[in-house]
Amino acid sequence: MQTQLADFIKDTPQGREAESILRKCVHCGFCTATCPTYQLLGDELDGPRGRIYLMKQILEGATPTEKTRLHLDRCLTCRSCETTCPSGVHYSRLLDIGREVVEQRVPRRGADKATRWALRTLIPQAGLFGLATRAGRMVKPLLPAALKNKLPDAPPAGVWPPPRHARRMLVLDGCAQPALAPAINAATARVLDALGISLTTAAKAGCCGAVRFHLNDQQGGRADARRNIDAWWPAVAAGEVEAIVMTASGCGVQVKDYGHLLQDDPDYAEKAARIAALTKDVTEVVAAEEPRLLELLGAMAARAPRPVAFHPPCTLQHGLKIRGVAERLLTAAGFALTPVRDSHLCCGSAGTYSLLQPEIAERLRDNKLDALAAGGATCIASANIGCITHLQAGTATPVRHWIELLDERLTRRA
Ligand code: SF4
Ligand code: SF4
């Protein structure tokens, strides 16, 4: 695609990156067919090719409007278009740049501004979010249905094995997950302990930065990244840990991107690249220990397979490009994975999207739950707290992190 960027951006790092992305796009439109918002809304401007055109026009000097911003807001950042694109267009990076420019030119007002401020302020602070979640649970019967559904009861986390192995890894606690589903990281610690790895946390690490970054507080997102790097660095520099484990694929995408996000920061660029290289989704960690896992499972009595439908989060399949791994591990553990149509499509959670674009998010969730139920599963498994909470709000079928199912099987509870 020929481009002629406007003076305000052409000689900046963002301008150069945007130009190289735009030049790769050949307008073929293949991506449009796999875009969830285009499928629902049927408007070219609510699909990737249309959004790329809009961003190109703005970066070339056109004046954005509230309508431009709405088409960009409606994008889930699911990156299904990137998986489909034959030309390797890095759409999500272009969107980050486009959204930042539009946000500055078309400032938000009223309730939209206040809601985004509240989300940026509340969610990334784990302590505050935990307090709000506990308070919300106490008055749950009085809450409106939309909010009530977002507050699932949290089963107890169970025992976190004390560190006893020479092999060590760190795990990110994150922001919303400890309050919404504390059992996920504890289950991960138990599974890794059984595989000969001790899992620990760094007290000062917190939100990965994705919440603020994707609510157009990109500097705030970078500040979260720097805080986490500072928290993890002593153990990393001392060579005490093999990896930094992510149990939410959304956080994994963000932390693996720290090297890129901080590449122009002379104090953090090198550390950020090292942290990014050490970061692994829990699927990658367990898959690397598969022979030992199969040994443990092989020593256990066979059980009747339990039908499970797996929903691969967009951040796992399109962001991290990890496909089929959790499914393979669950199958090895004796679960019967049911077929799920259109598994490449987003469930509508998409970070804070389900709160900001509830109508589209609910339509996507209902379609996804229909697809997940079609094979007769008695449980839904996924790999990201946002998807798990969003899906659970629309179904009575339990929705769990896949590592919890593996933990239950290893500890003979499933
Ligand atoms: S990221 Fe997802 S919603 Fe956004 S344009 Fe691409 S496919 Fe469509
Ligand atoms: S598939 Fe790729 S090259 Fe084709 S229109 Fe979409 S982004 Fe552009």
Side-chain angles (χ1 to χ4, degrees), residues 299-317:
M300 297 172 69
R303 290 169 189 235
R306 180 175 166 200
V308 170
F310 185 72
H311 166 56
C314 300
T315 40
L316 187 72
Q317 59 170 325

Side-chain angles (χ1 to χ4, degrees), residues 316-359:
L316 187 72
Q317 59 170 325
H318 303 305
L320 297 173
K321 317 267 184 247
I322 298 173
R323 299 185 189 114
V325 180
E327 295 92 319
R328 189 181 76 230
L329 295 167
L330 286 176
T331 304
F335 293 95
L337 275 281
T338 60
V340 180
R341 68 173 182 273
D342 292 335
S343 66
H344 63 286
L345 288 180
C346 180
C347 67
S349 168
T352 53
Y353 189 96
S354 63
L355 300 166
L356 296 168
Q357 303 288 337
E359 282 175 25

Side-chain angles (χ1 to χ4, degrees), residues 34-37 46-48 51 74-81 91:
T34 59
C35 171
T37 54
D46 283 314
R51 292 183 178 120
R74 283 186 187 147
C75 173
L76 295 141
T77 330
C78 69
R79 299 172 66 175
S80 172
C81 49
Y91 168 87

Side-chain angles (χ1 to χ4, degrees), residues 225-310:
R226 290 187 188 96
R227 186 211 49 236
N228 286 347
I229 292 169
D230 288 343
W232 293 326
W233 193 250
V236 169
E240 290 167 5
V241 290
E242 288 177 35
I244 303 168
V245 184
M246 301 291 135
T247 54
S249 53
C251 303
V253 168
Q254 186 74 7
V255 180
K256 284 195 186 210
D257 206 31
Y258 279 3
H260 173 262
L261 294 178
L262 296 175
Q263 65 187 353
D264 297 321
D265 181 332
D267 295 329
Y268 280 86
E270 213 172 299
K271 289 181 184 176
R274 175 97 189 271
I275 294 290
L278 277 177
T279 298
K280 292 196 172 12
D281 185 81
V282 61
T283 45
E284 297 175 276
V285 176
V286 177
E289 308 300 322
E290 208 167 335
R292 175 72 186 131
L293 176 69
L294 295 180
E295 227 174 83
L296 292 174
L297 292 167
M300 297 172 69
R303 290 169 189 235
R306 180 175 166 200
V308 170
F310 185 72

